[in-house]
Amino acid sequence: MEEKTMRHAGQGMPVLLGVIALEILLIAAAVLLPLNETSPLFVLLIILICVAWIPLAGLRVLKPEEALVVTLFGTYVGTLRGPGFFCINPFSASVNPAAKTVLGQSGDVKAERKSQVSGQSMTNNKISLKIMTLSNARQKINDVLGNPVEISIAVMWQVKDTAKAVFAVDNFKEYLSLQCDSAVRNIVQIYPYDVAPNIDTTGDGKADDGSLRGSTEVVARRIRDEIQRKVSNAGLEILDARITYLAYAPEIAAAMLQRQQASAVIDARKMIVDGAVGMVEMALERLNENHVVDLDDERKAAMVSNLLVVLCGNRDAQPVVNSGSLY
């Protein structure tokens, strides 16, 4: 079902003023005319007074970026888009199955607080066409290596086709929320949390460096495309998706932190050793070039050992001064 814009909706203000004026005239006629209660004309005036207000039931006020899906006796008539003060068939009804659905997203939190304060259920069948933000709860998902990670996303979306949103699915807000959870689970299972060898995240059969932590833009784009593919039949458009939280699950977070720390220590030690070896080589070359001292192989080995201990040690060296002969 495609959306049909109602172009024949009348202006509400002339109808409102006309009904008020008609009611005043009918009441004045019933009071001022010399008619008794059994007169057919008096009965007709009373009936007209009672039914003249019926067109007021068709008055609708829409603000910018709002829409109203209108049905008449179960048949879809069209969608009324604002802003403005409109008059439609008083026997028509507006439909919005997601009117009472509160997902903790933008536009819902404020309505929920108002309903809690008033103690009444606030039903508004108007459909917002604004850009909405949906932030679902954190999910615990296993990555491609089987490590449990916690992740949550924020999705920016809006309604593009009101007819599909109302009639194609039972509740388009709940439908979007479920599809977001499903899409996140499908995409996260493709990636490792951190860069891992021999992992293909693109599906081309070649290992790559993709990861949840290092490729957040790529992961978020794939999640957005996956959600859009699932909700297109509901008349929704996904504008953007962003990862708002990403971490290892608490049960393995400590172990993974130790692993990262160990990897960092190994890399740092490797850099220190490489630098120390280079400095020792440079020192020996300078001594030989300037003929400062001639060292045999045994004393070169002792000097290399001492220099490596000094350069690679965690503490400052404590020199020992030899006041005697080297030999």
Side-chain angles (χ1 to χ4, degrees), residues 273-287:
V273 171
D274 291 341
V277 171
M279 294 175 66
V280 170
E281 291 178 350
M282 181 181 65
L284 292 176
E285 290 177 359
R286 294 291 299 275
L287 289 174

Side-chain angles (χ1 to χ4, degrees), residues 72-315:
L72 181 62
F73 304 125
T75 302
Y76 174 58
V77 177
T79 298
L80 190 64
R81 289 177 175 262
F85 185 26
F86 303 97
C87 179
I88 59 178
N89 192 319
F91 297 101
S92 61
S94 56
V95 183
N96 183 7
K100 296 182 180 180
T101 303
V102 177
L103 299 177
Q105 62 184 13
S106 60
D108 288 337
V109 178
K110 187 176 180 181
E112 182 184 22
R113 291 176 179 174
K114 286 183 178 180
S115 62
Q116 291 175 353
V117 173
S118 62
Q120 300 176 355
S121 177
M122 296 184 62
T123 302
N124 184 3
N125 287 333
K126 299 175 184 178
I127 297 177
S128 176
L129 303 178
K130 301 176 183 178
I131 298 176
M132 306 284 283
T133 303
L134 171 63
S135 181
N136 274 6
R138 296 177 186 175
Q139 297 185 72
K140 183 183 292 186
I141 307 171
N142 292 337
D143 65 0
V144 70
L145 300 177
N147 299 320
V149 298
E150 290 185 347
I151 185 172
S152 64
I153 63 170
V155 178
M156 278 61 76
W157 65 281
Q158 66 180 156
V159 177
K160 298 301 291 185
D161 192 311
T162 56
K164 288 183 178 180
V166 172
F167 300 113
V169 294
D170 182 60
N171 187 317
F172 63 88
K173 288 184 180 179
E174 292 181 353
Y175 181 78
L176 172 63
S177 179
L178 292 175
Q179 297 304 326
C180 288
D181 291 343
S182 175
V184 171
R185 185 170 297 276
N186 292 339
I187 299 301
V188 169
Q189 291 176 346
I190 300 175
Y191 289 85
Y193 180 84
D194 212 340
V195 177
N198 301 323
I199 300 296
D200 176 22
T201 63
T202 59
D204 58 358
K206 299 180 181 179
D208 52 70
D209 296 333
S211 66
L212 296 174
R213 190 171 66 90
S215 308
T216 54
E217 292 290 336
V218 177
V219 175
R221 184 166 59 251
R222 293 188 67 175
I223 291 175
R224 182 198 64 192
D225 296 340
E226 180 76 6
I227 299 173
Q228 181 62 70
R229 185 178 61 84
K230 293 176 177 292
V231 302
S232 295
N233 60 341
L236 306 180
E237 181 183 6
I238 307 302
L239 302 176
D240 198 7
R242 286 288 180 266
I243 296 176
T244 57
Y245 180 84
L246 177 64
Y248 280 115
E251 57 266 26
I252 68 166
M256 289 301 177
L257 179 60
Q258 291 179 353
R259 179 180 177 181
Q260 292 177 356
Q261 290 174 343
S263 178
V265 170
I266 292 173
D267 292 340
R269 287 294 181 184
K270 182 179 179 181
M271 184 178 298
I272 292 174
V273 171
D274 291 341
V277 171
M279 294 175 66
V280 170
E281 291 178 350
M282 181 181 65
L284 292 176
E285 290 177 359
R286 294 291 299 275
L287 289 174
N288 290 331
E289 290 176 359
N290 298 332
H291 302 286
V292 176
V293 62
D294 293 328
L295 300 176
D296 56 17
D297 292 341
E298 181 180 354
R299 284 171 174 75
K300 284 183 179 180
M303 181 179 179
V304 169
S305 175
N306 293 334
L307 286 176
L308 288 177
V309 170
V310 171
L311 295 174
C312 298
N314 290 327
R315 299 180 180 179

Side-chain angles (χ1 to χ4, degrees), residues 38-99:
T38 59
S39 174
L41 182 57
F42 182 80
V43 174
L44 179 61
L45 289 174
I46 296 300
I47 295 175
L48 291 176
I49 291 173
C50 294
V51 301
W53 59 268
I54 291 180
L56 298 181
L59 297 179
R60 299 290 188 274
V61 178
L62 294 179
K63 293 178 289 187
E65 298 300 326
E66 285 186 345
L68 203 65
V69 177
V70 181
T71 60
L72 181 62
F73 304 125
T75 302
Y76 174 58
V77 177
T79 298
L80 190 64
R81 289 177 175 262
F85 185 26
F86 303 97
C87 179
I88 59 178
N89 192 319
F91 297 101
S92 61
S94 56
V95 183
N96 183 7

Side-chain angles (χ1 to χ4, degrees), residues 3-17:
E3 178 181 290
K4 298 184 296 184
T5 302
M6 295 181 63
R7 304 185 183 278
H8 58 275
Q11 295 297 318
M13 187 58 66
V15 175
L16 176 62
L17 296 178

